[in-house]
Amino acid sequence: MNELFGVSMNLIAGICLAVTTLILLGVAFIAWRNPVMFKMGLRNIPRRKAQTALIIVGLMLSPLIMSAAFGTGDTLTTSVTSEVYSILGEADEWVTWDAEKDPRPLDEQVIPLDRVEQWKTKFAGDPDIEAIVPLQRESLPVLNTRTKLNEPSARIVGYRTSDAEALGGLKDSAGRAVSLTGNEIAINKDLAEEIDGKVGDTLQVFYKGLPREFVVKAVVPSSVLSGAIDPSSAAGGAVSCETVVELTGRGQAADAVIISNTGGVKAGMARSDVVVDKLEAEFAGSPYEVAPLKKNLVNFAELIGSAFTTIFVVFGLFSISAGVLLIFLIFVMLAAERKPEMGIARAVGAKRRQLVESFLAEGMGYDLGSAVVGLVAGMGVTYAMVEVIKIFAGDNLGLNLTVTFTARSLVVAFCLGVIATFLMVFASSW
């Protein structure tokens, strides 16, 4: 998660660290200037252990809500992003027919392989483009004749093996290369789950209402080479290039072209803007468009995490406001309890400012303790929330949710808890 309320998390983290540092320096200055009153404030913390524990539990609400919100947002962002990287692999951009420029019939919205070969030749030595892979694809109904289970819209793809090698090639879950010929099909794990497919099963694939039988040769990971495009539409399979050409009758043409940037699975995405500009200049005057598929999906993952965190924080602000009142009441009660101590201190020459500093020292001890406890408790709440999401929405999301905490989010949650509590401690002490 990189933004909150449209503000960069790096900026938020920097500001929070700076303010927290100033607070700690201010308290350290008080301890240096007036060590006696500072120690008098701190000594109340270990003397009343039960009271201290109750106060820390009461003050931990703010860091708990913040850490739970950031932790859940990081978990969703990381899980969706990981799924995108797993599916797309080294595929970064997606070239297709632009129907707005040329709205011809769907069967004619193809990219001739001769044109693709021209692109390959032109960008052969380009430092930003590593591979160009054409493929044909169709969303077709698939029926498993053994289980009678079906998938109404499985994406079946076909491509030349030599082209796919640039993306690592089609491999099964054990990492072995899969070669397809004739009526053989490799189904990805998402389609296998939908139709309970296994190696050796006979599948009926329906094209324009007519069935064609295929034998499952392998069950492979869900990736762009096995028909998956994004986490929301991952069920699919792959057949040989000759078979899909024969099935669709489109000849030597591609429905889409995959562009792989230099730099690998993650680093290559940084070149997307440059590559898109180059391809758009190449496509000028032609009915083709390029989309930074991986970048768009990763940005969408960031949006999901930011939206969830924002909603959580907004609703949490109501609880935090109640916690602010609780902090104020706690210190008013502490002051009422310690009237005799304050009277004796004043009688021996202590000034009002020094009494405030004493309460401030004690409050800072509670503040740091509650921030730590709240941070840990918030992490526990995150684990619980992720388990609840898995139970009630895991299948619908189609994601392997893994609890993730980034150091930046934990720092922000801790600092916000310290700052919010300190401000109320300072106000109530004064």
Side-chain angles (χ1 to χ4, degrees):
M1 188 183 65
N2 291 321
E3 291 186 350
L4 179 66
F5 299 112
V7 181
S8 169
M9 281 294 292
N10 288 332
L11 178 60
I12 294 175
I15 293 174
C16 288
L17 276 174
V19 174
T20 303
T21 301
L22 289 175
I23 290 173
L24 294 176
L25 289 175
V27 174
F29 176 73
I30 292 174
W32 171 77
R33 189 182 65 177
N34 195 349
V36 175
M37 296 303 294
F38 189 82
K39 292 178 182 178
M40 286 182 62
L42 290 181
R43 71 172 185 167
N44 289 309
I45 298 176
R47 286 175 61 190
R48 298 175 174 87
K49 294 180 176 61
Q51 176 180 278
T52 298
L54 288 173
I55 291 174
I56 288 177
V57 171
L59 299 182
M60 73 175 187
L61 187 61
S62 176
L64 184 153
I65 291 174
M66 291 299 176
S67 61
F70 291 134
T72 309
D74 285 338
T75 296
L76 289 174
T77 299
T78 304
S79 297
V80 177
T81 302
S82 298
E83 194 75 10
V84 170
Y85 287 133
S86 175
I87 288 175
L88 294 183
E90 295 192 20
D92 295 287
E93 288 81 37
W94 190 256
V95 179
T96 55
W97 187 276
D98 189 347
E100 293 185 359
K101 292 181 180 178
D102 190 347
R104 64 178 63 183
L106 289 176
D107 288 343
E108 299 179 17
Q109 295 182 10
V110 295
I111 306 171
L113 292 185
D114 291 341
R115 178 63 65 89
V116 178
E117 293 300 327
Q118 293 175 9
W119 299 341
K120 285 186 176 183
T121 301
K122 178 171 183 177
F123 294 108
D126 193 284
D128 299 311
I129 298 177
E130 187 175 48
I132 299 176
V133 181
L135 57 81
Q136 286 200 21
R137 58 193 174 120
E138 281 288 343
S139 294
L140 304 173
V142 175
L143 170 69
N144 189 337
T145 58
R146 178 179 61 86
T147 63
K148 305 304 180 185
L149 297 175
N150 70 87
E151 167 58 43
S153 183
R155 184 175 280 104
I156 308 300
V157 298
Y159 40 80
R160 295 177 297 196
T161 304
S162 58
D163 290 331
E165 291 299 327
L167 300 179
L170 185 65
K171 298 179 181 179
D172 62 16
S173 55
R176 296 184 294 264
V178 177
S179 179
L180 303 170
T181 59
N183 68 333
E184 295 175 336
I185 185 172
I187 60 175
N188 63 33
K189 64 176 185 178
D190 286 273
L191 179 57
E193 290 174 0
E194 293 293 333
I195 62 175
D196 192 19
K198 299 178 181 179
V199 174
D201 282 351
T202 299
L203 308 183
Q204 286 187 338
V205 178
F206 294 85
Y207 181 73
K208 294 185 177 180
L210 299 176
R212 174 161 177 170
E213 290 191 347
F214 288 86
V215 177
V216 178
K217 183 176 183 179
V219 177
V220 299
S222 298
S223 70
V224 69
L225 293 179
S226 61
I229 300 298
D230 59 67
S232 64
S233 57
V239 297
S240 67
C241 180
E242 296 77 16
T243 301
V244 75
V245 168
E246 178 188 347
L247 182 67
T248 62
R250 295 198 183 112
Q252 298 300 308
D255 298 293
V257 176
I258 297 170
I259 308 296
S260 176
N261 300 342
T262 304
V265 175
K266 295 183 179 180
M269 191 178 67
R271 301 174 184 262
S272 283
D273 291 339
V274 175
V275 172
V276 167
D277 290 340
K278 290 181 179 180
L279 293 176
E280 286 180 344
E282 174 67 19
F283 299 158
S286 62
Y288 309 124
E289 63 178 349
V290 57
L293 182 62
K294 183 183 290 182
K295 182 178 180 180
N296 289 343
L297 290 175
V298 169
N299 288 342
F300 180 69
E302 293 283 353
L303 180 62
I304 291 175
S306 297
F308 188 90
T309 303
T310 301
I311 293 172
F312 200 153
V313 170
V314 168
F315 281 99
L317 289 176
F318 294 99
S319 299
I320 292 173
S321 62
V324 166
L325 179 60
L326 176 64
I327 295 170
F328 190 84
L329 292 177
I330 285 174
F331 276 83
V332 169
M333 292 171 63
L334 287 177
E337 177 191 4
R338 295 173 191 170
K339 279 185 177 180
E341 294 180 23
M342 289 190 290
I344 294 173
R346 291 282 283 176
V348 297
K351 298 179 180 179
R352 183 186 180 194
R353 171 181 56 78
Q354 294 172 326
L355 292 179
V356 171
E357 292 174 351
S358 177
F359 268 99
L360 194 60
E362 181 180 359
M364 195 61 196
Y366 296 137
D367 186 2
L368 293 175
S370 65
V372 173
V373 174
L375 190 68
V376 175
M379 295 170 70
V381 171
T382 300
Y383 277 98
M385 290 185 63
V386 170
E387 290 302 319
V388 170
I389 293 174
K390 285 182 179 179
I391 293 172
F392 292 101
D395 294 337
N396 294 327
L397 290 175
L399 298 175
N400 181 22
L401 292 177
T402 303
V403 177
T404 304
F405 299 99
T406 63
R408 180 180 59 188
S409 294
L410 292 178
V411 167
V412 171
F414 177 82
C415 290
L416 286 177
V418 169
I419 294 168
T421 304
F422 175 80
L423 291 176
M424 285 312 302
V425 166
F426 176 79
S428 55
S429 297
W430 178 75

